[in-house]
């Protein structure tokens, strides 16, 4: 970078002096008789220009974060398998003098939720308290493409977006594993928050010390997904209340085998195993009671070419695994099957989000 200095101004040190318009010769000219004498400086010699004041760095005016939707369980992987989907929840925050406000756009915009009970704001404030820092008063704008109460991880996305936003605002003191720990604490289970944080397909493995580690699993490129979303709402609490408190040991052992077979089928591309590997005894038979025509819809999807169909999360969305370019046909068949049971539904591609939550600053 070039540095600039001021030019030194003044008369030359030698040459003729003038007094009263006449030449003055024969004696040295005193400084008082003309302009003050200027001693050449380095600035004079280099010919630098006046320095400009540096502008203060621009202060952030807005912070934002985005977190993906997710489908969890994938049949027998109850509370441990999760897959991130390209249905984003975007959250932006601007500082305001006092209080908190929330503006909702997209999915959930018709809900009237007390800001004190909002999951995004709750997670945002939680991380500041963990960091022992004052909680800033903010106006939040939440724009979501994730259908609510449909088994697509809207709650997990809200928590992860709030934590990610707060961590970025604080300067990023927490690693993703630490954000994962706090997300589990707020959500209660890891299967949706793990893919929302890390992206892709994750296996949440509990450790002996009570911590949970998220393991990344590969999804074959030649495996496609279709979501069939009925016009029903099922709360996670209601869906969990249906689950049995215990199961016979042979049933549990069979479920463990199918969960392992599912990961094997995905890693080796043995898609013919998916029909059996997706079967579950922990939650699907009980949650299926909340979905009219469940068995018929699953059957319609398989007849149309799906390798297998299961419930996404706690439902009522159904998740079909199939070969590429079959999604439209499978989706139409399942939507028609729902219609025969007087349930409106829509089909959408289940595009995988390979990256998890991110945040940025806006100047």
């Amino acid at each position: 970078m070039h540095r600039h200095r001021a030019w030194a101004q003044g008369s030359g040190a030698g040459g003729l002096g003038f007094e009263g318009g006449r030449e003055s010769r024969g004696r040295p000219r005193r400084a008082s008789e003309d302009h003050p004498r200027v001693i050449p400086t380095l600035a004079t010699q280099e010919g630098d220009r006046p320095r400009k004041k540096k502008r203060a760095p621009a202060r952030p005016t807005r912070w934002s974060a985005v977190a993906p939707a997710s489908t969890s369980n994938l049949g027998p992987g109850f509370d441990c398998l999760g897959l991130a989907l390209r249905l984003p929840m975007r959250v932006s925050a601007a500082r305001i003098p006092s209080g908190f406000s929330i503006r909702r756009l997209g999915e959930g915009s018709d809900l009237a939720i007390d800001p004190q009970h909002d999951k995004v704001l709750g997670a945002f404030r939680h991380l500041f308290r963990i960091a022992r820092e004052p909680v800033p008063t903010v106006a939040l704008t939440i724009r979501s493409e994730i259908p609510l109460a449909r088994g697509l991880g809207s709650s997990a996305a809200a928590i992860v977006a709030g934590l990610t936003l707060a961590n970025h605002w604080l300067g990023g003191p927490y690693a993703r594993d630490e954000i994962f720990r706090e997300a589990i604490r707020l959500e209660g289970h890891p299967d949706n928050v793990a893919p929302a944080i890390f992206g892709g397909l994750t296996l949440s493995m509990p450790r002996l010390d009570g911590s949970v580690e998220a393991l990344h699993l590969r999804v074959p490129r030649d495996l496609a997904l279709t979501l069939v979303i009925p016009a029903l709402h099922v709360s996670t609490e209601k869906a969990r209340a249906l689950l049995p408190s215990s199961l016979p040991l042979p049933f549990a052992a069979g479920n463990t085998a199918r969960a392992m077979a599912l990961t094997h089928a995905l890693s080796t591309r043995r898609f013919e195993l998916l029909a059996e590997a997706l079967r579950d005894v922990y939650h699907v038979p009980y949650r299926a009671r909340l979905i009219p025509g469940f068995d018929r819809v699953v059957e319609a999807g398989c007849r149309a070419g799906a390798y297998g169909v299961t419930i996404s999360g706690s439902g009522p969305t159904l998740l079909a695994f199939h070969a590429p370019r079959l999604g439209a046909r499978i989706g139409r068949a399942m939507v028609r099957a729902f219609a025969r049971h007087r349930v409106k539904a829509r089909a959408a591609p289940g595009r995988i989000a390979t990256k998890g939550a991110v945040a940025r600053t806006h100047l």
Side-chain angles (χ1 to χ4, degrees):
M1 180 180 294
H2 296 289
R3 294 188 302 170
H4 301 286
R5 294 187 175 87
W7 288 88
Q9 300 293 329
S11 62
L16 302 176
F18 292 87
E19 182 177 18
R22 297 176 297 167
E23 280 190 25
S24 175
R25 298 180 183 270
R27 63 181 175 88
R29 183 182 49 148
R30 295 193 304 271
S32 60
E33 295 175 342
D34 203 338
H35 301 291
R37 185 181 179 192
V38 177
I39 299 174
T41 65
L42 181 62
T44 307
Q45 295 165 5
E46 291 182 354
D48 289 350
R49 297 185 182 280
R51 291 180 181 177
K52 293 183 179 179
K53 289 185 178 180
K54 292 183 178 179
R55 291 183 179 180
R59 296 185 62 184
T61 59
R62 189 166 58 89
W63 295 258
S64 67
V66 58
S70 56
T71 179
S72 62
N73 301 327
L74 278 65
F78 181 66
D79 272 7
C80 63
L81 285 178
L83 178 64
L85 301 172
R86 279 194 275 166
L87 291 171
M89 177 179 290
R90 295 182 174 88
V91 179
S92 64
R95 193 189 295 273
I96 56 177
S98 62
F100 300 94
S101 70
I102 297 176
R103 179 185 177 215
R104 299 181 190 280
L105 302 170
E107 295 284 348
S109 59
D110 56 337
L111 297 180
I113 300 177
D114 183 344
Q116 301 302 324
H117 296 98
D118 180 79
K119 289 187 179 292
V120 174
L121 181 57
F124 179 82
R125 298 169 75 179
H126 172 81
L127 201 70
F128 273 89
R129 288 167 180 156
I130 292 295
R132 298 183 179 180
E133 293 288 342
V135 180
T137 52
V138 294
L140 295 179
T141 299
I142 302 172
R143 184 188 299 270
S144 178
E145 296 180 25
I146 308 172
L148 300 180
R150 306 292 177 82
L152 291 170
S154 60
S155 172
I159 289 169
V160 170
L163 292 174
T164 303
L165 182 67
N167 190 45
H168 186 68
W169 191 308
L170 287 165
Y174 296 102
R176 287 198 298 176
D177 286 340
E178 294 171 303
I179 296 296
F180 182 41
R181 179 194 64 208
E182 297 306 319
I184 296 172
R185 181 180 298 180
L186 295 175
E187 176 74 341
H189 45 93
D191 50 344
N192 286 103
V193 296
I197 293 170
F198 300 103
L201 177 61
T202 57
L203 169 62
S204 296
M205 184 188 72
R207 291 184 169 275
L208 185 61
D209 61 4
S211 65
V212 180
E213 183 174 354
L215 307 176
H216 180 73
L217 304 177
R218 294 186 179 275
V219 180
R221 289 179 177 269
D222 52 350
L223 181 66
L225 307 172
T226 292
L227 305 171
V228 179
I229 309 167
L232 304 169
H233 291 83
V234 174
S235 71
T236 301
E237 292 76 14
K238 183 177 180 180
R240 279 187 175 268
L242 295 173
L243 305 185
S245 58
S246 63
L247 284 171
L249 184 59
F251 286 19
N255 230 56
T256 300
R258 283 187 292 274
M260 295 177 71
L262 174 61
T263 60
H264 173 78
L266 295 177
S267 64
T268 61
R269 300 176 57 254
R270 289 196 59 189
F271 303 139
E272 75 277 5
L273 296 176
L274 290 177
E276 278 297 315
L278 288 171
R279 280 201 311 113
D280 167 81
V281 297
Y282 286 157
H283 69 104
V284 170
Y286 308 97
R287 290 171 169 173
R289 300 171 188 171
L290 301 175
I291 306 172
F294 172 80
D295 290 331
R296 297 296 184 187
V297 176
V298 171
E299 182 182 356
C302 291
R303 283 184 176 178
Y307 296 128
V309 179
T310 190
I311 297 176
S312 175
S314 57
T317 295
L318 300 185
L319 177 66
F321 293 75
H322 55 83
R325 296 180 294 279
L326 292 182
R329 185 173 79 186
I330 292 168
R332 284 194 301 268
M334 295 175 69
V335 167
R336 285 196 298 266
F338 265 125
R340 285 193 286 271
H341 290 82
R342 299 181 179 180
V343 176
K344 293 183 66 175
R346 63 184 177 92
R351 298 187 179 94
I352 297 171
T354 56
K355 294 183 179 180
V358 294
R360 59 178 298 195
T361 302
H362 305 263
L363 302 178

